[in-house]
Amino acid sequence: MNKIMTLERATEFGSAWNSRDPDLVASFFADDGVYHASVGPDRIGKTYRGKEEIRKGVKAFFERFPDARFENLKVVVAGDTGSFEWDFVATDASGKSVTTAGCDLLAFRGDEVIVKNAFRKAKG
């Protein structure tokens, strides 16, 4: 029987980002998965390819934002695509809690994530 991405599994993937466990987060990706972080040197942020690079990128994210969490997660799954909408809550350099709205565009193959493209709103 062919596996498909369900709303429940996608929600588990979204929740995994609050686990602080890079192995758990990477486990949702296909072996050839791609994660485009919302910040980085390229037009679409920093790109991580393959589970091991993704694990390292997620670990670096957790280290950069040691107290961060995602709140108000809204998950959509429509066949082989989906999205997350969330509030990112973290402490800034001055010790103040800051909330930033953002979203992820997702692509699936079966029940695995093949692309996660993250976006955050910037105040200015």
Side-chain angles (χ1 to χ4, degrees), residues 2 39 43 57:
N2 291 338
V39 177
R43 184 182 66 81

Side-chain angles (χ1 to χ4, degrees), residues 19-123:
S19 73
R20 315 225 42 87
D21 182 348
D23 293 317
L24 176 61
V25 172
S27 74
F28 284 88
F29 282 87
D31 289 339
D32 60 345
V34 176
Y35 164 41
H36 301 291
S38 59
V39 177
D42 301 321
R43 184 182 66 81
I44 58 173
K46 172 89 172 118
T47 297
Y48 301 93
R49 296 181 187 283
K51 278 189 179 187
E52 185 55 27
E53 256 191 52
I54 290 168
R55 189 193 70 71
K56 288 177 183 176
V58 171
K59 183 175 187 260
F61 174 82
F62 290 156
E63 289 170 352
R64 181 175 179 190
F65 302 103
D67 71 337
R69 64 193 180 282
F70 292 91
E71 297 181 350
N72 304 316
L73 179 67
K74 295 178 185 127
V75 181
V76 174
V77 173
D80 61 358
T81 62
S83 65
F84 293 156
E85 187 177 343
W86 37 258
D87 291 319
F88 179 69
V89 181
T91 304
D92 69 10
S94 71
K96 179 182 169 191
S97 180
V98 177
T99 300
T100 305
C103 68
D104 297 314
L105 302 179
L106 306 166
F108 311 120
R109 182 186 317 117
D111 68 346
E112 295 181 313
V113 177
I114 56 172
V115 176
K116 178 183 183 289
N117 195 358
F119 298 86
R120 284 189 274 169
K121 295 285 189 175
K123 289 185 179 181

